[in-house]
């Protein structure tokens, strides 16, 4: 069963705008990861935030984590058409056997 | 960065035949590999966890005899879809975690199976 749920399911923005995606999960985690998938391709790891971290940056990506609310957000700043993809969060659950399960993702479309 | 190679990238087969998909970690060792399947515009569904040198652990509802997994070395895991039927048509993706790491997964490019 999936452990992370992304919101919104779909997001359409103009190039240059920021895109924010949210993730909610249900139980305690070791870390939470965000992945990206281009249509018909495998997933690419974007960023990992540990349970004792609250915010992390990587280039144009900013991830926040609120363990009290069991939620995370992914912000993509100054979006580009090439950012068009599906984005998934994957909570690495405590005692979860190191396996990751994925929600339905957020389908981001960045238009020129 | 770590690379996972998956082969074949697409395959078409007749109903009743078996198809083998390979997943290789090219520049790192992986004691654990994971197999997922994905239907169009849906999430990845974890099928099984493949452990080097031991039996795979299957998720609930996944038929062990239907989806045979072998993890013979630290760099290779295979998924064999036996007696394939049209409902097995899907996008199969493998992933691997580096032996020294407990974090990110590295994914293959996926294999699209079409059963006629």
């Amino acid at each position: 069963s999936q452990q992370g749920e992304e919101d919104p399911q779909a997001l359409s923005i103009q190039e240059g705008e920021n895109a924010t995606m949210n993730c909610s999960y249900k139980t305690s985690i070791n870390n939470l990861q965000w992945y990206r998938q281009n249509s018909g391709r495998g997933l690419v790891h974007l960023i990992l935030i540990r349970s004792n971290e609250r915010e992390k940056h990587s280039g144009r990506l900013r991830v926040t984590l609120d363990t009290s609310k069991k939620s995370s957000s992914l912000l993509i700043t100054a979006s580009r058409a090439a950012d068009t993809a599906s984005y998934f969060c994957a909570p690495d659950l405590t005692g979860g056997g190191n396996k990751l399960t994925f929600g339905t993702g957020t389908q981001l479309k960045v238009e020129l | 960065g770590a690379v996972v190679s998956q082969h074949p990238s697409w395959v078409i087969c007749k109903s009743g035949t078996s198809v083998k998909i390979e997943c290789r970690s090219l520049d790192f060792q992986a004691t654990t590999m994971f197999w997922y399947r994905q239907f169009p515009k849906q999430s990845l569904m974890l099928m099984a966890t493949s452990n080097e040198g031991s039996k795979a652990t299957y998720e609930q509802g996944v038929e062990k005899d239907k989806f045979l997994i072998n993890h013979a070395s630290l760099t290779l895991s295979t998924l064999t879809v036996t007696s394939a039927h049209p409902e097995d048509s899907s996008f199969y993706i493998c992933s691997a975690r580096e032996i020294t790491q407990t974090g990110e997964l590295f994914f293959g490019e996926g294999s699209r199976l079409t059963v006629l």
Side-chain angles (χ1 to χ4, degrees), chain A residues 5 8 18 28 49 53 86 91-92:
Chain A
E5 283 288 348
N18 296 341
S28 62
I49 186 165
E53 297 176 311
S86 292
D92 191 345

Side-chain angles (χ1 to χ4, degrees), chain A residues 34-75:
Chain A
W34 284 90
Y35 288 82
R36 163 197 170 127
Q37 183 184 30
N38 286 73
S39 181
R41 306 292 295 275
L43 274 70
V44 174
H45 179 266
L46 295 177
I47 196 165
L48 180 154
I49 186 165
R50 302 193 185 284
S51 60
N52 61 353
E53 297 176 311
R54 291 296 167 258
E55 187 171 312
K56 200 164 184 179
H57 297 254
S58 177
R60 291 184 297 113
L61 304 180
R62 173 178 168 251
V63 168
T64 63
L65 177 65
D66 187 335
T67 53
S68 66
K69 295 181 179 179
K70 292 186 173 56
S71 67
S72 174
S73 67
L74 171 66
L75 169 67

Side-chain angles (χ1 to χ4, degrees), chain A:
Chain A
S1 61
Q2 60 196 39
Q3 297 297 335
E5 283 288 348
E6 298 87 355
D7 175 71
Q9 290 187 350
L11 181 60
S12 183
I13 60 174
Q14 297 294 313
E15 197 171 50
E17 295 179 339
N18 296 341
T20 299
M21 290 157 264
N22 302 296
C23 170
S24 60
Y25 59 93
K26 298 176 182 176
T27 59
S28 62
I29 59 173
N30 299 313
N31 62 71
L32 187 140
Q33 303 174 37
W34 284 90
Y35 288 82
R36 163 197 170 127
Q37 183 184 30
N38 286 73
S39 181
R41 306 292 295 275
L43 274 70
V44 174
H45 179 266
L46 295 177
I47 196 165
L48 180 154
I49 186 165
R50 302 193 185 284
S51 60
N52 61 353
E53 297 176 311
R54 291 296 167 258
E55 187 171 312
K56 200 164 184 179
H57 297 254
S58 177
R60 291 184 297 113
L61 304 180
R62 173 178 168 251
V63 168
T64 63
L65 177 65
D66 187 335
T67 53
S68 66
K69 295 181 179 179
K70 292 186 173 56
S71 67
S72 174
S73 67
L74 171 66
L75 169 67
I76 303 174
T77 60
S79 64
R80 305 166 181 168
D83 294 328
T84 296
S86 292
Y87 292 82
F88 298 90
C89 72
D92 191 345
L93 304 180
T94 304
N98 283 332
K99 61 184 180 182
L100 294 183
T101 57
F102 296 85
T104 52
T106 293
Q107 294 184 42
L108 173 65
K109 184 176 183 180
V110 182
E111 300 184 86
L112 294 170

